[in-house]
């Protein structure tokens, strides 16, 4: 099945700091492509994979689940770790859950994580009925393009496959169980006006992880897909500064220092 235009994976060979970007449920790399390109332009090595069952047609997701999606980002993390001295993982929505799972399982191999409107639960009246309903109804209306900014498209499915939604629900339980194993520095950016993931998800994540270096940023002008919204530039800048702070001797840290020197010298 051909990949939808704009849903293609993205990779860039840069310096010795790598960033793995994880997209969300029913979404695609299109939701994170500008973020990846921003980091690549600043000398970082970037990997933005297309998760199994995504980016083609919603029916293809019906035979995939959490372990398939996790296995893909796990492979990418291992490849980046062989290529780079330091690796960071960033994620949007379900991609945030994948990020947390990687952090919990890989420990020091992950230098820090950035979460944008991360998911912790499947919500809605149908959530508890999924084990039965998924056998009766194949899909329901999707939640794509929850974006305040006009003209933006995350290249996501317009239907939610219910077998995959059930798999997501089970996977999120596994991620939640292991949150205390997350110890890395965390930057969490969330939108108060999010019509897909409620603020309670971020609050639970922050309350259960063991990280002591935690920064929370509110994205007041954006909805769920904030990486394509009015606050996108802020996300990009905050995440790059986060890397520069934690990896000061690397290309990211050097770039940050050059930016500071340029601003202090006055143009």
């Amino acid at each position: 099945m051909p990949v939808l235009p704009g849903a293609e994976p993205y990779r860039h060979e840069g310096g010795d700091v790598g960033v793995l970007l994880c997209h969300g449920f029913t979404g695609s790399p299109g939701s994170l492509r500008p973020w990846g390109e921003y980091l690549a332009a600043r000398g970082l090595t970037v990997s933005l994979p297309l998760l199994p069952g995504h980016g083609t047609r919603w029916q293809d997701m019906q035979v995939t689940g959490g372990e398939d999606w996790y296995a893909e980002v796990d492979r990418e993390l291992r490849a980046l770790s062989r290529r780079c001295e330091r690796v960071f993982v960033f994620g949007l929505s379900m991609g945030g859950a994948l990020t947390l799972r990687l952090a919990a399982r890989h420990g020091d191999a992950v230098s820090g994580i950035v979460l944008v409107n991360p998911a912790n639960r499947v919500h809605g009246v149908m959530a508890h009925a999924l084990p039965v309903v998924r056998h009766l109804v194949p899909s329901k209306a999707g939640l794509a393009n929850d974006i305040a900014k006009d003209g933006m498209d995350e290249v996501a499915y317009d239907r939610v496959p219910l077998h995959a939604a059930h798999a997501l629900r089970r996977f999120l339980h596994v991620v939640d169980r292991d949150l205390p194993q997350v110890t890395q520095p965390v930057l969490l950016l969330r939108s108060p006006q999010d019509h897909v993931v409620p603020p309670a998800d971020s609050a639970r994540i922050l309350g259960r992880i063991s990280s002591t270096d935690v920064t929370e940023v509110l994205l007041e002008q954006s909805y769920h897909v904030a990486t394509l919204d009015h606050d996108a530039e802020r996300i990009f800048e905050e995440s790059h500064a986060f890397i520069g702070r934690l990896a000061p001797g690397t290309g990211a840290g050097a770039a940050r220092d050059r930016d500071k020197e340029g601003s202090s010298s006055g143009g």
Side-chain angles (χ1 to χ4, degrees), residues 9-15 17-22 32-49 76 80 83-84 88 90 243:
Y10 172 76
R11 291 176 178 83
H12 173 80
E13 286 292 327
V17 176
V19 180
L20 170 60
L21 295 164
C22 307
L32 302 180
R33 180 69 177 256
W35 197 1
E37 291 176 342
Y38 177 96
L39 297 169
R42 283 148 185 82
L44 299 170
T45 293
V46 177
S47 176
L48 171 49
E76 293 290 332
L80 277 176
R83 163 74 176 78
C84 300
F88 294 80
F90 298 176
I243 294 174

Side-chain angles (χ1 to χ4, degrees), residues 132-157:
V132 175
V133 173
R134 66 193 173 104
H135 296 293
L136 306 174
V137 181
S139 70
K140 72 179 187 68
L143 296 168
N145 290 326
D146 185 37
I147 305 171
K149 187 176 182 179
D150 291 337
M152 306 305 292
D153 181 13
E154 64 169 321
V155 194
Y157 295 146

Side-chain angles (χ1 to χ4, degrees), residues 6-234:
E8 302 88 355
Y10 172 76
R11 291 176 178 83
H12 173 80
E13 286 292 327
D16 56 8
V17 176
V19 180
L20 170 60
L21 295 164
C22 307
H23 71 75
F25 182 72
T26 74
S28 77
S31 62
L32 302 180
R33 180 69 177 256
W35 197 1
E37 291 176 342
Y38 177 96
L39 297 169
R42 283 148 185 82
L44 299 170
T45 293
V46 177
S47 176
L48 171 49
L50 174 64
L51 299 178
H54 293 72
T56 53
R57 56 177 193 155
W58 67 261
Q59 291 89 342
D60 293 334
M61 283 193 69
Q62 293 285 48
V63 293
T64 66
E67 290 309 309
D68 302 302
W69 309 325
Y70 177 77
E72 182 67 23
V73 296
D74 184 80
R75 280 192 295 269
E76 293 290 332
L77 175 62
R78 293 175 189 274
L80 277 176
S81 296
R82 290 191 294 269
R83 163 74 176 78
C84 300
E85 293 181 9
R86 306 283 295 274
V87 178
F88 294 80
V89 186
F90 298 176
L92 166 69
S93 195
M94 180 188 77
L98 291 168
T99 297
L100 289 161
R101 183 72 169 149
L102 288 170
R105 297 189 69 172
H106 284 272
D108 291 342
V110 176
S111 294
I113 62 175
V114 177
L115 311 171
V116 179
N117 293 323
N120 179 259
R121 286 282 188 274
V122 172
H123 299 275
V125 294
M126 192 182 288
H128 295 289
L130 278 172
V132 175
V133 173
R134 66 193 173 104
H135 296 293
L136 306 174
V137 181
S139 70
K140 72 179 187 68
L143 296 168
N145 290 326
D146 185 37
I147 305 171
K149 187 176 182 179
D150 291 337
M152 306 305 292
D153 181 13
E154 64 169 321
V155 194
Y157 295 146
D158 59 1
R159 305 291 301 175
V160 174
L162 296 190
H163 278 294
H166 177 61
L168 171 62
R169 183 169 178 259
R170 290 187 299 176
F171 178 69
L172 292 178
H173 280 301
V174 171
V175 174
D176 183 74
R177 181 194 65 200
D178 291 341
L179 284 178
Q181 297 179 32
V182 176
T183 60
Q184 296 87 344
V186 176
L187 171 62
L188 187 148
L189 306 102
R190 66 175 180 86
S191 306
Q193 295 186 76
D194 185 329
H195 306 99
V196 178
V197 174
D201 281 27
S202 288
R204 180 170 176 83
I205 290 167
L206 292 178
R208 285 181 54 74
I209 59 176
S210 299
S211 305
T212 56
D213 182 345
V214 178
T215 303
E216 183 177 17
V217 175
L218 294 183
L219 306 171
E220 301 283 0
Q221 302 180 70
S222 300
Y223 295 163
H224 182 63
V225 191
T227 48
L228 295 179
D229 218 325
H230 295 294
D231 292 296
E233 196 70 18
R234 184 177 186 191

